[in-house]
Amino acid sequence: MTGTDPGVQAPPEAPSLGRKVGSAARWSLVNTVVMRLGNFVTGIILARFFLGPEAWGVYGIAQTVLLVLLSANELGVSLAIVRWEGDPRRFAPTVLTLSASSSCLLYAVLFTAAPAVARVLGSPEASGILRVMCVCVVLDGLSQVPAGFLTREFAQGKRMAIDAVNFVLSTGVTLLLAVEGWGAMSFAWGSVAGNAAALVGCCLAAPGTLRFGWDREQARSLLRFGLPLAGASMLALGVVNVDTMVVGSALDQLALGFYVLAFNISGWPVRIISEAARRVSFAGFSRLADSPGALAGGFGRALGIVMTGTVPLCVLLAALAAPIVGLVYGDRWLPAAAALPWLMALGLVRIGCELAYDCLVAIGRRRSLIGVQGLWLVILIPVLVVGAGAGGIVGVAQGHVLVAGAVVVPVFLYALHRGGVGLGTVARACAWPFLGGAAMAAVVLGLERLLGDGVLALLATAAAGSVCYALCILPSLGFLRGSPPAGATAAAGG
C-alpha cells in the first residue's frame, strides 16, 4: 500500500487535533459573539447619550494609531510560540524580552511624537488621548508570550474568561468616565484598564510563561522569522486604517466621526466571524502546512464556513443601512449610512483576505504577503485622497472597494495558487454564499420598498431574507461539514 493510497489511515494524532480545533473554534466563536455584542451595546449607549460625531472622530484617530503600532509592537516574534516545533518554553524568554523591549521603545517614540502625529491627522486635541491609549502597546507586548501559549494549545475557553474580564473592566471604566464628561479620553483609560486585566489573566492562565531571558542565536532566528511578518502585519493594518487618516486630514472632524461609525458598523461581521476564525486558523493551518492537499482542503472549508456566516450579515447591513443607523444610533448619525453599503463590500473582501493571510503565513510565504500588502497600500493612498476630494466619505469607501476588488483579490488568489490552494478551491467555497447573498439582497430590497422601515417591517424583511439565504446555501452543507462528494464516495467504495 503506497503513501498516497486513500485507504491509509490518518495518523493517530489527527483526530485529537481535529477535536482540539473544533472545540477551540466553538469557544472562539462564542467568545467573539458575546464580546462584540457587548461592545455593540456599549457603542450605542455612548453614541446616543454621551458622545457626538466630533468625539468619535478624535477616538477614531487614536484607535487608528494604536492599531498600527500593535501590528508591529512585538516585531512578529510572538508567532513563533504558535508556529515553531518543539518546546516553546526553550525560546519563550527571548521572545518576551524582544517583545517587551520593542513595545517600550515604540511607546517612547509615540509619546514624544504624539502632538505632531495628532496635528498631521487633523485632530490636534488627540495628542493626550494618544499618549494614554497607547500604553496598551506596552501591555500587549508583555502579554504576547502567555497569550501565544494559549493559542498554541487551542485554549479558547480560558481566552473567553480573560476577554470577559477585559470587557467588563474596560466598559465599566469607559462608561463611568463618559458619564463624568471625559469625552474621547474615556475610551483611552477604558482600553488601558481592560488590557491590564487581560495581561494579568493571561499570566494566570499560562503560569510560568512571563519570564525574561536572552539567547543571541535564538534572537537572530526569531527576528529572521518575525520581522517579515511584522512588516506585513503593519502594512495590513495600514491598509485598513489609512482611510481614517485620509478622512481626518482631508475632511473635517464631523465627517471623520460619521466615517468612523460607518467603518465600525462594517466591521461587525469581520470581528464576529473572522476574528473567531483567526484565533484558531493560524494554528490549524500551521499543523497542515506540510500536507498540501490537506492544507487546500482545510482552507477551502474554513473559507466556506466564514463566507457562509458573513454574507447574510453584510447583505442586511448594506441593504438596510439608513434604517438600521437611524434606528440604532439616532437620526443625527444618518450621514454615516451613505458610506455603509460600500464598506460592507469591503468588509467581505477583508474577511477572505485575512484568512488567506493566515494561510500564507502558515506555509512560510512571508515575502508574498509583504508584496501584496505593500502593493495594496501604495495604490490605495492616492485613490482614497482622490475619492475624499470627489465624494467625501462615500468617495473614500468607493475607492477602498475599487482597489480591493480590482487589484488585491487577484493578487491574493495568485499567491494562494502558488502556495497550493487553487482557484477552484476558492470558487467552490464562495459560490453558494455569493449566490445566496444575491438572492437575499433582492428579497430584502424588494420587501423594504413594500413594507417600509418601521421596526416590525425591518424584522420581517430581515427574517424573510435570512430564510431565502438559508434555502440557497443548503446544497453546500456537505462541503462545509467536510463530507466527500457523492462521486468520490462511490469511487472509493468501488
Side-chain angles (χ1 to χ4, degrees), residues 77-444:
V77 297
S78 67
L79 283 176
I81 300 292
V82 181
R83 180 70 178 89
W84 281 11
E85 298 293 335
D87 183 5
R89 293 182 183 271
R90 293 185 297 104
F91 52 86
T94 304
V95 172
L96 182 60
T97 300
L98 286 170
S99 178
S101 301
S102 62
S103 299
C104 291
L105 179 61
L106 271 178
Y107 181 74
V109 171
L110 176 71
F111 189 91
T112 304
V117 171
R119 282 196 302 272
V120 169
L121 297 180
S123 296
E125 60 272 38
S127 174
I129 298 172
L130 280 174
R131 285 173 166 169
V132 173
M133 184 173 282
C134 288
V135 171
C136 297
V137 172
V138 178
L139 296 172
D140 183 75
L142 291 171
S143 68
Q144 286 297 313
V145 168
F149 274 89
L150 297 178
T151 300
R152 182 184 179 97
E153 298 301 322
F154 301 100
Q156 293 304 319
K158 294 180 180 179
R159 285 296 299 267
M160 181 173 179
I162 294 168
D163 289 345
V165 174
N166 181 342
F167 169 75
V168 170
L169 190 57
S170 63
T171 301
V173 171
T174 299
L175 288 173
L176 178 63
L177 295 181
V179 170
E180 294 296 321
W182 285 53
M185 184 63 83
S186 58
F187 285 110
W189 283 112
S191 297
V192 171
N195 275 268
L199 172 59
V200 174
C202 285
C203 293
L204 293 175
T209 57
L210 200 67
R211 292 191 304 107
F212 291 92
W214 185 255
D215 183 294
R216 182 179 299 179
E217 291 304 316
Q218 287 179 355
R220 289 175 179 171
S221 298
L222 287 165
L223 290 174
R224 282 196 300 270
F225 171 82
L227 285 176
L229 296 179
S233 183
M234 181 172 282
L235 289 172
L237 265 294
V239 165
V240 174
N241 293 283
V242 71
D243 51 356
T244 303
M245 300 179 185
V246 169
V247 173
S249 58
L251 303 175
D252 54 33
Q253 282 193 9
L254 190 63
L256 178 60
F258 290 135
Y259 185 83
V260 169
L261 183 78
F263 195 88
N264 286 345
I265 295 173
S266 74
W268 292 348
V270 178
R271 297 186 188 108
I272 291 175
I273 305 296
S274 182
E275 187 174 306
R278 295 191 77 189
R279 287 193 172 185
V280 296
S281 63
F282 177 70
F285 291 151
S286 296
R287 305 292 176 91
L288 300 174
D290 295 329
S291 176
L295 178 69
F299 178 82
R301 285 191 296 277
L303 181 62
I305 292 169
V306 166
M307 286 296 168
T308 299
T310 306
V311 166
L313 297 175
C314 290
V315 169
L316 285 176
L317 289 171
L320 303 175
I324 288 175
V325 170
L327 177 66
V328 174
Y329 291 98
D331 291 343
R332 68 171 173 170
W333 291 97
L334 280 176
L340 188 53
W342 298 97
L343 291 175
M344 295 314 308
L346 174 66
L348 197 59
V349 173
R350 281 174 56 198
I351 287 171
C353 290
E354 287 175 357
L355 201 65
Y357 179 98
D358 288 344
C359 182
L360 292 172
V361 171
I363 61 177
R365 294 189 172 269
R366 298 186 288 277
R367 292 183 180 178
S368 297
L369 286 174
I370 292 177
V372 172
Q373 303 292 354
L375 177 67
W376 195 346
L377 189 60
V378 167
I379 296 176
L380 184 62
I381 292 174
V383 172
L384 294 185
V385 171
V386 172
I393 64 173
V394 176
V396 171
Q398 291 171 335
H400 245 316
V401 176
L402 175 64
V403 174
V407 178
V408 179
V409 170
V411 174
F412 257 118
L413 290 175
Y414 176 72
L416 285 171
H417 175 74
R418 293 193 62 186
V421 180
L423 180 60
T425 298
V426 176
R428 186 182 181 193
C430 296
W432 289 109
F434 284 5
L435 176 64
M440 181 182 183
V443 170
V444 168

Side-chain angles (χ1 to χ4, degrees), residues 40-58:
F40 165 65
V41 173
T42 303
I44 293 173
I45 294 171
L46 291 170
R48 270 192 171 273
F49 303 111
F50 301 112
L51 302 177
E54 293 86 354
W56 274 97
V58 174

Side-chain angles (χ1 to χ4, degrees), residues 23-35:
S23 175
R26 288 189 293 273
W27 275 111
S28 184
L29 180 59
V30 171
N31 180 15
T32 305
V33 170
V34 171
M35 294 303 109

